[in-house]
Amino acid sequence: SIALQTAAAIEKSLLAAEMVSNARERAAIAAELHAASTVQQLLLQSASRPTPGFTVDSVYLPASEVGGDFFYVAPAPDGSITAIAGDVSGKGITAAMRVAMILGALRRETSHDPAQILHDLNETLLTHAQLGFTTAVCVRIALDGHFTLANAGHVNPYQSGRELPTPPA
């Protein structure tokens, strides 16, 4: 009887220790996800530079703690702006890290031509192809409202409720 009670007590002790270990592991993962979410929000908040002549508003609401969607807005010397929106394959921290890499590449981009920007981004991403794929759409908008659009596998953008067709590739 004493041996059975001792065995039961030891088993309860081991289960309690395992529960505490699992709880600590979940807390550590939650803390990492929260940190990744905070970093991603900071990166995306700084993804829009001041755009004289334009009002740019953005909201980023990932489906989970971190996401694989991204956007970037930058002014050009001629007063136009370039805006890029995209999505990376995958979820979670891997997708968030790919977005961070993409935003870094876009910050270093010197061209303001949408097709060239997407070409240069593709060249950068080709060196990291094992991380998945990325789709993106890029538009340059002049002060007079005229725009140039390029698409790299992303869904077509809309203007005034109407889909804007984009040529493939």
Side-chain angles (χ1 to χ4, degrees):
S1 173
I2 293 175
L4 287 176
Q5 289 176 354
T6 303
I10 291 171
E11 187 176 345
K12 285 181 183 176
S13 254
L14 291 173
L15 286 173
E18 187 178 337
M19 287 175 51
V20 168
S21 175
N22 288 342
R24 285 183 180 149
E25 190 175 308
R26 283 191 304 275
I29 290 169
E32 286 181 21
L33 279 174
H34 179 71
S37 175
T38 301
V39 168
Q40 187 173 46
Q41 289 294 333
L42 290 171
L43 282 171
L44 287 168
Q45 285 173 6
S46 67
S48 291
R49 299 182 196 165
T51 53
F54 294 90
T55 301
V56 177
D57 293 313
S58 63
V59 176
Y60 184 73
L61 302 171
S64 60
E65 287 291 321
V66 291
D69 299 314
F70 65 92
F71 65 91
Y72 183 77
V73 179
D78 67 357
S80 66
I81 63 168
T82 302
I84 302 157
D87 190 9
V88 303
S89 62
K91 297 187 184 318
I93 293 180
T94 301
M97 295 304 293
R98 189 166 177 89
V99 167
M101 180 182 63
I102 288 168
L103 291 175
L106 292 173
R107 282 188 178 91
R108 292 186 306 275
E109 180 62 52
T110 57
S111 177
H112 297 283
D113 173 59
Q116 185 64 49
I117 291 168
L118 293 181
H119 175 271
D120 294 348
L121 181 58
N122 187 58
E123 290 296 313
T124 298
L125 294 175
L126 283 174
T127 62
H128 302 286
Q130 74 279 6
L131 295 177
F133 66 91
T134 301
T135 65
V137 63
C138 182
V139 63
R140 182 176 184 177
I141 307 169
L143 284 169
D144 65 4
H146 286 89
F147 62 89
T148 305
L149 184 65
N151 194 342
H154 202 63
V155 295
N156 287 336
Y158 280 72
Q159 179 184 32
S160 302
R162 185 177 59 87
E163 183 177 6
L164 297 175
T166 57

